[in-house]
Amino acid sequence: MEDFVLNPQDYKIINQHILEYQSMPGALLPLLHAIQDDLGFVPEIAYPLISSALSLSVAEVHGVVTFYHHFRSNKPGRHILQVCRAESCQAMGSEILELHIKKHLGIDFHETTSDGAITLEPIYCLGNCACSPSVMIDEEVYGRVDSKKIDQLISDLKRAS
């Protein structure tokens, strides 16, 4: 577990969600979604709280968080840049786009730029196959993305941060 300390407000949010979901059958996934929706991630320091409330092992909680690509265990950057890795996007050049983005930002998937502006993540279908390759920045999907277009989008993000 990393050296990370939650502030009292984050603990309060986590505990409120635990109380809300702990008696629900199959509560783990909805609970993890609720925590990530509010905090932007599911901090590893919360795994023991979650596991205790749901009568699960810490390993089970960790296993679910790491199995599903949607969940992140580290605080994200101010913006989330997701590159679609589904078959249609790969067929239309998303792997080349990925390499370009990684080189441009100097990070790999699941990492954040040193200025805290952008976290890069893979995603496994944005439902925008007719406009492949696609990326999503925060909640907005962009299609037919090439290196020139992504450079402009990244530049706009950094300017806005």
Side-chain angles (χ1 to χ4, degrees):
M1 209 175 297
E2 62 185 56
D3 293 333
F4 181 80
V5 178
L6 286 176
N7 66 48
Q9 182 61 29
D10 291 343
Y11 269 115
K12 184 178 178 182
I13 289 168
I14 291 167
N15 285 318
Q16 285 174 336
H17 286 307
I18 288 172
L19 287 173
E20 180 181 351
Y21 289 98
Q22 72 182 8
S23 62
M24 173 191 291
L28 183 56
L29 283 174
L31 173 58
L32 295 174
H33 278 286
I35 292 169
Q36 183 158 299
D37 287 348
D38 281 350
L39 300 183
F41 68 117
V42 181
E44 288 184 38
I45 200 166
Y47 295 1
L49 299 171
I50 295 166
S51 67
S52 176
L54 300 183
S55 298
L56 300 169
S57 70
V58 173
E60 288 172 301
V61 175
H62 174 78
V64 170
V65 172
T66 57
F67 177 79
Y68 290 103
H69 299 286
H70 171 76
F71 294 118
R72 60 183 81 88
S73 57
N74 295 307
K75 187 174 179 132
R78 292 181 296 281
H79 302 283
I80 307 296
L81 169 55
Q82 296 176 308
V83 180
C84 183
R85 303 193 79 209
E87 289 79 4
S88 176
C89 285
Q90 286 187 32
M92 297 301 290
S94 69
E95 289 175 318
I96 294 167
L97 184 63
E98 280 176 34
L99 293 173
H100 176 80
I101 293 168
K102 289 174 180 180
K103 184 176 180 183
H104 182 98
L105 295 176
I107 59 174
D108 203 343
F109 283 130
H110 308 291
E111 294 180 352
T112 301
T113 55
S114 60
D115 61 2
I118 300 169
T119 296
L120 181 62
E121 296 181 344
I123 194 164
Y124 295 90
C125 194
L126 290 168
N128 199 32
C129 302
C131 298
S132 296
S134 296
V135 301
M136 184 162 65
I137 299 174
D138 298 329
E139 300 297 319
E140 191 163 345
V141 176
Y142 298 87
R144 295 187 177 96
V145 178
D146 59 15
S147 58
K148 184 177 178 184
K149 186 171 184 177
I150 197 65
D151 287 350
Q152 184 60 54
L153 291 168
I154 290 170
S155 177
D156 293 345
L157 281 180
K158 289 194 172 206
R159 233 187 335 271
S161 290

